[in-house]
Amino acid sequence: MTGFRIELRRTPVRWWSIPLLAVALSMVLFVGDDWSVSWPRASAAITQADLLLMVAALGLTAQRVSGIHRGRNEEILASRDRSRLEFTSLAADVTWLVAVYLTMTGIVWALMWSRGVPGGPWLEYPVFGVCGVVFAAALGHTFGRLVPGRFTGVLAAVTGYLLFLVLFPSGESPLTASVGYQAIDVRLSGAHLGWRLALTTLTVLVAVGAVHLVSRDRRRPLTALIPAAAVLVGIAAMPSGSESPLVQPREASGRACADTGHGGEVCVWPEHAHRLSEATAAAERVGEAAAPVLPTTIAHREHGLDRGGVGGFTLDHGPGDTLATLAGEYVDRAIPYCADWQEEQWGAHSSLRLWLDARARGLGTLPDYNYQSLGASSDFREEVEETLARPEEEQRRHVRTWVETARAVTC
Amino acid sequence: MLEIIGLSQGYRRKPVVSELHIALGAGAFGLLGPNGAGKSTLLRTLATISAPGRPEQLRLFGEPLRTRKQLRAARRRIGYLPQSFSYPPGFTVTDFVRHCAWLRELPNAEIGRAAAEAVDRVELTEQADLPLRKLSGGMLRRAGIAQAICGEPDLIILDEPTNGLDPRQRVRLRQLLRDLSENSCVVLSTHLVEDISHVCARMGVLYEGRLRFDGTAEELAAMGTGTEGGDTALERGYTAALDAPPLVGPPAGDVAR
């Protein structure tokens, strides 16, 4: 521990820990959407600082290792295994960097606990983030050992930035620096996390063995070459591409449900239990708007809860989106899709969804919303807007014709 | 303690040291020779930084270094000051010496005391908390000596220890080396004949990778005939030794005290 304690006290990385913590916390607290609505989003939010911390880890460790005065100088005689010495030095750097990460994570979790949000932290996200920082630090250590120079740190940081953004894009690669938006119905892929852990371990082995490639005492070059080859093979073989996403649908361990007052029901993920009343109120508004033309005993489910991840409403994108997705789900449940439908039925179904969304919002016209994403053409929009402009009774009559049209073909 | 048996060493097929035979016990051995004579290469090999051509060419503490275990055990007992050494610039003198002691696997309980003692012996106590980057060349050299003598290893190898030291410090270093050589084998190289003559009971002259002289200061002085260059008998003897034929065969015995 003596060596570790000295390294810990003397590594220049320690001076960077406070500014890094400040910037990382700012990125998590002030950049992006409000993540404090649920533990899944809060857990994933800490990865917003991953790119910064990984690039910093790469640059700082590279600079620290290359900063040891060398030139034509010799290394001090050591009876300890050189790999162990490298490991001690890397461990000291990593300790400071991980301390930054864990402090930031602790602050985010403390905020969440203070707000009484149901559920608890998802540990795989800090593991994912810490793993990324260790991976980057090991990479930087190797870089600094192999390419020492005055600008090694900057060079390593720029290379790392490009590496993490281009070679390991978000949403696909286990080595990505960004998880992106965390929907409530998905969880980090265990396979990706496993690959990340394995590649990080191998990269640490490369880092601690790289000294054997450059020291005068080149007695054990394979110490670095074998894990380096394994890292390259691992990167080539790791899951990547759109068919192996970083996040996977998850199973619900439970649900929070409430009646809508019209015989219907609303269920949300347990982590959204505190937002159940919000969802129920929105569902009641949709139910009231639909009552004259559609049944009111609809069982609403939050997206991903049951039904294999298909359909459902969402709570994460604001009240407008919640109403729109509830209206869509309402129509989908009342008049299920049929493969035999013709354009007429599809049109009626889409019109119903648009109309119900507008009515639930209490608007006499269509809301400002991207209806193209719902598959609604401009023809349907015009027809729905015309219908919304009609008197109440006439409007209901017209909407019932859409219902009849859609139900005319059943499967 | 140290036995060199027909050691040959070189880089990129260029021989630097050839057919050396030296056996040393406790005491001080001074290695003289002009630039490029192979002194640093020889000391690096003795310090186990460079591997000898064949393991049996170097025996340390009674055994050749065939395995990593043997190498590691030997290194625990060696203190080595390279001609110039790498160091983390942010380390203080104390941390540097402690760190080097830790590298040599001194027991943790002894590191603090041994480091403080070594720093004190090279008279850097007042600078103990200064970062290495703020030290003068001479102070940095003394910090290097401190790490080499920390814990009083059995074999102390010093490559040009007096470089950058002022005359007063050189005198004090000589006394320190005399003290250390009471119990340890001290091997030092220098260009300065007078440094060695005051410290080492035995000395060698290396030239073009071959040992030209191995004996006492008096024997070296006696080699001079008066026609060689040099202001003192020892310098004239040194100059004469450079022209002498290489010594061949095993040494006559251990170092004379």
Side-chain angles (χ1 to χ4, degrees):
Chain A
M1 287 298 282
T2 302
F4 177 70
R5 277 204 300 269
I6 294 172
E7 293 277 12
L8 198 60
R9 245 191 4 253
R10 291 296 162 199
T11 172
V13 177
R14 75 193 190 282
W15 297 119
W16 286 90
S17 56
I18 299 295
L20 272 179
L21 177 62
V23 179
L25 257 181
S26 304
M27 289 181 74
V28 173
L29 294 177
F30 306 120
V31 178
D33 297 337
D34 179 18
W35 41 260
S36 66
V37 290
S38 71
W39 274 105
R41 292 195 65 189
S43 300
I46 55 172
T47 64
Q48 283 172 202
D50 279 10
L51 181 62
L52 164 82
L53 291 175
M54 286 169 78
V55 170
L58 226 156
L60 289 173
T61 50
Q63 189 61 37
R64 183 263 227 274
V65 172
S66 71
I68 295 174
H69 284 181
R70 270 195 201 83
R72 298 181 62 188
N73 296 339
E74 287 184 38
E75 284 153 7
I76 292 292
L77 184 69
S79 60
R80 283 185 196 276
D81 189 88
R82 292 219 69 84
S83 298
R84 274 196 64 189
L85 308 183
E86 294 293 304
F87 182 76
T88 306
S89 157
L90 177 62
D93 292 347
V94 162
T95 300
W96 284 105
L97 293 164
V98 169
V100 168
Y101 202 95
L102 294 183
T103 306
M104 176 189 75
T105 304
I107 290 171
V108 168
W109 289 1
L111 277 172
M112 290 298 286
W113 273 312
S114 71
R115 290 179 187 185
V117 178
W122 286 7
L123 293 178
E124 68 261 41
Y125 286 91
V127 171
F128 185 84
V130 165
C131 217
V133 170
V134 176
F135 172 77
L139 211 58
H141 190 100
T142 310
F143 198 93
R145 189 56 82 205
L146 299 181
V147 196
R150 185 177 294 181
F151 302 107
T152 298
V154 175
L155 196 63
V158 171
T159 308
Y161 185 74
L162 296 174
L163 189 75
F164 296 131
L165 276 189
V166 179
L167 199 59
F168 307 131
S170 67
E172 294 173 3
S173 170
L175 293 178
T176 187
S178 170
V179 173
Y181 166 66
Q182 168 67 46
I184 194 155
D185 60 317
V186 291
R187 199 148 190 169
L188 210 55
S189 154
H192 282 67
L193 190 58
W195 274 97
R196 193 170 173 101
L197 280 164
L199 288 169
T200 299
T201 307
L202 286 169
T203 309
V204 168
L205 291 178
V206 174
V208 300
V211 70
H212 293 291
L213 298 175
V214 293
S215 72
R216 287 176 190 274
D217 187 12
R218 294 190 191 93
R219 299 182 206 218
R220 292 194 298 163
L222 292 181
T223 312
L225 293 178
I226 290 173
V231 168
L232 292 177
V233 170
I235 287 175
M238 70 186 181
S240 188
S242 53
E243 62 276 7
S244 56
L246 187 65
V247 290
Q248 301 282 343
R250 69 176 176 124
E251 291 292 320
S253 58
R255 63 185 60 190
C257 297
D259 293 334
T260 58
H262 298 93
E265 187 188 41
V266 175
C267 289
V268 296
W269 289 87
E271 292 84 359
H272 274 166
H274 61 303
R275 303 183 68 186
L276 181 59
S277 58
E278 179 189 336
T280 307
E284 283 174 350
R285 285 179 66 180
V286 173
E288 280 167 18
V293 291
L294 287 169
T296 54
T297 54
I298 299 296
H300 290 286
R301 298 284 182 269
E302 193 177 358
H303 183 72
L305 200 62
D306 308 337
R307 301 174 197 162
V310 177
F313 64 92
T314 58
L315 284 168
D316 279 346
H317 307 294
D321 185 75
T322 301
L323 280 174
T325 51
L326 275 166
E329 190 192 25
Y330 201 106
V331 175
D332 293 349
R333 297 282 291 158
I335 309 172
Y337 288 115
C338 178
D340 297 332
W341 277 359
Q342 301 300 308
E343 194 175 335
E344 200 180 0
Q345 279 75 41
W346 284 110
H349 196 267
S350 297
S351 300
L352 264 172
R353 290 171 63 124
L354 298 188
W355 174 82
L356 186 54
D357 181 16
R359 293 284 296 186
R361 291 171 198 246
L363 298 172
T365 181
L366 284 176
D368 183 16
Y369 196 83
N370 180 14
Y371 285 98
Q372 295 299 332
S373 65
L374 297 178
S377 72
S378 55
D379 293 344
F380 298 141
R381 288 198 61 173
E382 281 174 18
E383 188 180 352
V384 173
E385 277 179 342
E386 280 173 17
T387 306
L388 286 167
R390 292 177 187 180
E392 190 71 20
E393 199 53 42
E394 194 180 333
Q395 196 175 140
R396 287 180 189 175
R397 270 202 305 278
H398 190 74
V399 171
R400 284 195 189 100
T401 65
W402 290 340
V403 174
E404 286 161 12
T405 304
R407 283 180 170 160
V409 178
T410 52
C411 295
Chain B
M1 197 173 285
L2 181 159
E3 209 175 340
I4 300 167
I5 308 154
L7 176 72
S8 295
Q9 183 71 283
Y11 300 112
R12 296 183 186 130
R13 295 182 183 173
K14 183 187 167 198
V16 179
V17 171
S18 305
E19 279 299 312
L20 282 190
H21 293 267
I22 305 173
L24 300 174
F29 179 81
L31 195 58
L32 286 165
N35 290 334
K39 298 190 298 295
S40 292
T41 300
L42 174 59
L43 295 192
R44 225 171 4 244
T45 308
L46 298 185
T48 73
I49 300 292
S50 305
R54 293 193 310 277
E56 59 271 22
Q57 290 177 339
L58 176 65
R59 293 173 72 89
L60 288 177
F61 315 111
E63 55 182 30
L65 309 178
R66 294 183 195 282
T67 64
R68 286 205 63 80
K69 194 178 170 188
Q70 286 173 322
L71 179 70
R72 193 171 165 183
R75 283 183 172 180
R76 287 193 196 111
R77 301 172 66 183
I78 300 173
Y80 172 53
L81 170 71
Q83 209 166 27
S84 58
F85 55 89
S86 55
Y87 57 88
F91 274 29
T92 61
V93 173
T94 299
D95 275 342
F96 172 65
V97 177
R98 284 168 61 98
H99 191 253
C100 294
W102 176 78
L103 293 180
R104 264 202 352 254
E105 297 184 271
L106 246 67
N108 278 348
E110 288 178 26
I111 286 178
R113 182 197 54 76
E117 191 180 306
V119 169
D120 185 50
R121 290 180 91 167
V122 297
E123 299 179 0
L124 279 178
T125 306
E126 283 180 22
Q127 291 80 22
D129 294 324
L130 277 182
L132 293 177
R133 64 170 177 272
K134 291 191 177 173
L135 298 187
S136 67
M139 287 179 184
L140 195 59
R141 200 74 192 140
R142 280 189 277 153
I145 294 168
Q147 64 79 25
I149 66 171
C150 183
E152 289 207 23
D154 295 325
L155 175 58
I156 299 170
I157 299 165
L158 307 172
D159 197 350
E160 310 275 6
T162 53
N163 266 8
L165 300 190
D166 60 40
R168 183 164 161 267
Q169 285 300 331
R170 278 169 55 195
V171 170
R172 296 197 174 179
L173 178 64
R174 286 178 202 159
Q175 183 55 48
L176 172 62
L177 296 179
R178 271 194 291 269
D179 293 345
L180 290 167
S181 63
E182 290 290 318
N183 299 311
S184 304
C185 173
V186 179
V187 182
L188 66 140
S189 76
T190 179
H191 300 289
L192 304 172
V193 180
E194 62 188 285
D195 278 340
I196 281 193
S197 66
H198 288 100
V199 176
C200 303
R202 182 175 160 192
M203 57 187 69
V205 176
L206 195 67
Y207 183 51
E208 293 179 339
R210 310 291 294 265
L211 200 61
R212 309 290 172 143
F213 171 82
D214 182 359
T216 62
E218 292 74 23
E219 288 168 342
L220 182 61
M223 279 188 85
T225 59
T227 57
E228 301 85 358
D231 296 329
T232 64
L234 211 54
E235 284 178 353
R236 286 191 288 275
Y238 167 69
T239 310
L242 295 180
D243 294 329
L247 301 179
V248 290
D254 272 2
V255 66
R257 300 285 298 275

